């Protein structure tokens, strides 16, 4: 990556405004050469009817952080990223606090990026394990 950690986090948090990420209060908090981490609060706004973190909210966090991470491996003037497949295994439930999604690159190809996203709680317990495939597309010329 040719960006500083501060640039990555500022960019991710800025482009999240007025999106689902802002609605879910997802905040990007850490970045490195092969990972990006975001946090999301767990409260009634992301609960399912039994009062637990909704699996869909976990998947939204995973896809958000994995897609944002791919952005930093492309030339955004010439390319764009689209999530084409995501899978999730929900391993533990949580009722309150924060969850953290950390995306780590598994495969960085010319046209496909494969990410593993681990969602953990504040104690580091694994809540969900997700896999995201992103396609890298050439931007259409205007």
């Amino acid at each position: 990556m040719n960006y500083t950690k501060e640039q990555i986090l500022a960019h991710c948090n800025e482009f999240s405004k007025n999106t689902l990420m802002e609605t879910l209060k997802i905040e990007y908090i850490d970045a490195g050469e092969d990972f990006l981490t975001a946090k999301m609060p767990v409260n009634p706004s992301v609960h399912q009817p039994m009062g637990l973190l909704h699996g869909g909210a976990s998947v939204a966090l995973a896809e958000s952080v994995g897609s944002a991470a791919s952005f930093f491996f492309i030339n955004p003037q010439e390319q764009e990223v689209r999530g084409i497949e995501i899978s999730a295994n929900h391993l533990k439930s949580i009722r309150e606090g924060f969850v953290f999604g950390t995306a780590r690159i598994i495969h960085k190809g010319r046209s496909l990026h494969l990410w593993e996203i681990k969602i953990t709680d504040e104690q580091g317990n694994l809540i969900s394990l997700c896999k995201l495939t992103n396609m890298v597309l050439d931007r259409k010329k205007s």
Side-chain angles (χ1 to χ4, degrees), residues 33-35 70 73 103-108 113-116:
E33 192 169 311
D34 68 342
F35 77 94
S70 273
F73 290 131
R104 292 194 182 277
I105 193 78
I106 295 171
H107 171 76
K108 182 178 71 170
H113 295 168
L114 180 62
W115 294 92
E116 176 187 75

Side-chain angles (χ1 to χ4, degrees), residues 36-102:
L36 180 64
T37 300
K39 73 176 184 177
M40 180 178 72
V42 179
N43 56 47
S45 69
V46 295
H47 281 172
Q48 42 91 311
M50 299 302 291
L52 303 170
L53 175 62
H54 193 291
S58 296
V59 171
L61 172 61
E63 185 155 1
S64 297
V65 73
S67 292
S70 273
F71 180 82
F72 294 98
F73 290 131
I74 65 167
N75 177 341
Q77 285 75 41
E78 297 178 10
Q79 299 169 304
E80 54 193 19
V81 173
R82 296 285 187 276
I84 59 171
E85 183 178 10
I86 189 163
S87 64
N89 293 98
H90 306 299
L91 306 168
K92 187 174 173 74
S93 59
I94 181 172
R95 292 182 184 275
E96 60 184 15
F98 286 90
V99 288
F100 301 86
T102 299

Side-chain angles (χ1 to χ4, degrees), residues 1-8 32-33 71-76 108:
M1 283 190 227
N2 297 325
Y3 302 93
T4 67
K5 173 182 169 177
E6 292 75 20
Q7 289 172 319
I8 291 169
E33 192 169 311
F71 180 82
F72 294 98
F73 290 131
I74 65 167
N75 177 341
K108 182 178 71 170

Side-chain angles (χ1 to χ4, degrees), residues 119-139:
I119 299 176
T120 59
D121 64 14
E122 292 169 280
Q123 291 74 43
N125 297 309
L126 187 60
I127 303 298
S128 296
L129 181 62
C130 306
K131 185 179 73 171
L132 172 68
T133 306
N134 290 327
M135 179 181 283
V136 178
L137 300 171
D138 291 330
R139 284 191 178 270

